Amino acid sequence: MFLAKVYVTYKESILDPKGEAIRKSIQQMDYDSVQSVRLGKYFEIIIEAADEEVASREIEEIADKLLANVVMETYRYELEPITSNEANTIQVEKAQLSEEDGDEG
Amino acid sequence: MFLAKVYVTYKESILDPKGEAIRKSIQQMDYDSVQSVRLGKYFEIIIEAADEEVASREIEEIADKLLANVVMETYRYELEPITSNEANTIQVEKAQLSEEDGDEG
């Protein structure tokens, strides 16, 4: 079992109006020390895989297909092996959500 | 000069419907190996500060006030000292954006 941490940000060449808007808000709070802000998405994914290589390949496929718009965004990720206990702690929440919305899966 | 990387996620007790929706989409792409997905925000902030302690204090204040909804979200951050060259590379984009929208600042 692995925990994948995926960071999706705009490519360097793509301007980031949301980041710029946040920068301006921060400066209006008198934090002139802030020079720039870039905003991105952050995913924590628990994935069952035989080994790290399989986990990496699947995370890259999932990121390319769904998590990042590869025309405008780029991503990097980290993989950590986790125990099933650690995974279960997170699973408990997922089960609660499934009960509430009558998950068919 | 420091680069702060700030990761904002829902608190463990808060359900994450977006993450759950992404999990279902991923499984519909036949990646049954994915057990759970949590979605968060990721910020890269360049901040001018005399030392790491000052930078930390300001980033925490900014995160508490603006970046995270501290009732439902939690955050962690990393600080990296960067050279002004590295900062300038990112600044060039910011300048382009300011020219376009006639930044009064």
Side-chain angles (χ1 to χ4, degrees):
Chain A
M1 193 87 76
F2 293 88
L3 171 63
K5 294 179 178 176
V6 184
Y7 312 91
V8 179
T9 51
Y10 282 120
K11 288 183 177 171
E12 292 296 336
S13 56
I14 303 286
L15 294 180
D16 179 5
K18 278 190 197 159
E20 182 56 14
I22 293 169
R23 181 189 67 85
K24 285 182 186 168
S25 306
I26 290 174
Q27 290 199 337
Q28 278 155 9
M29 289 159 47
D30 293 333
Y31 291 102
D32 302 330
S33 50
V34 168
Q35 309 294 310
S36 78
V37 176
R38 291 181 72 79
L39 174 61
K41 293 174 284 192
Y42 168 60
F43 300 88
E44 287 181 358
I45 299 174
I46 291 185
I47 186 165
E48 179 92 57
D51 55 44
E52 191 153 337
E53 203 185 320
V54 172
S56 286
R57 195 178 57 239
E58 293 209 354
I59 287 294
E60 284 177 24
E61 286 175 16
I62 291 166
D64 284 333
K65 289 177 187 169
L66 189 71
L67 306 183
N69 167 343
V70 292
V71 172
M72 299 174 52
E73 294 172 324
T74 181
Y75 67 86
R76 61 184 175 86
Y77 66 95
E78 296 153 9
L79 272 179
E80 279 168 40
I82 55 169
T83 64
S84 26
N85 274 356
E86 285 164 327
N88 286 340
T89 333
I90 295 171
Q91 296 304 305
V92 165
E93 275 156 52
K94 188 173 68 76
Q96 279 165 0
L97 187 73
S98 311
E99 269 155 40
E100 273 159 35
D101 73 3
D103 182 8
E104 68 299 336
Chain B
M1 194 89 76
F2 294 88
L3 171 62
K5 294 178 177 176
V6 184
Y7 312 91
V8 179
T9 52
Y10 282 121
K11 287 183 176 174
E12 290 297 336
S13 57
I14 303 286
L15 294 179
D16 179 4
K18 279 189 196 157
E20 182 56 14
I22 292 169
R23 181 188 67 83
K24 286 181 183 168
S25 306
I26 290 173
Q27 291 199 337
Q28 278 154 11
M29 290 159 46
D30 294 332
Y31 291 102
D32 301 332
S33 52
V34 168
Q35 308 295 310
S36 78
V37 176
R38 291 181 71 80
L39 173 62
K41 294 173 283 193
Y42 168 59
F43 300 88
E44 287 182 358
I45 299 174
I46 290 187
I47 186 165
E48 180 93 56
D51 55 44
E52 190 152 338
E53 201 186 321
V54 171
S56 286
R57 194 177 58 239
E58 293 208 354
I59 288 295
E60 285 176 22
E61 285 175 16
I62 292 167
D64 285 332
K65 288 177 187 169
L66 188 71
L67 306 181
N69 167 345
V70 291
V71 173
M72 299 174 55
E73 294 172 325
T74 180
Y75 67 87
R76 61 185 174 86
Y77 66 96
E78 295 152 10
L79 271 179
E80 282 169 44
I82 54 169
T83 64
S84 27
N85 274 355
E86 286 163 327
N88 286 339
T89 335
I90 294 172
Q91 297 304 302
V92 164
E93 275 158 52
K94 188 171 69 74
Q96 279 165 1
L97 189 73
S98 311
E99 270 155 41
E100 271 160 37
D101 73 2
D103 180 8
E104 65 303 335

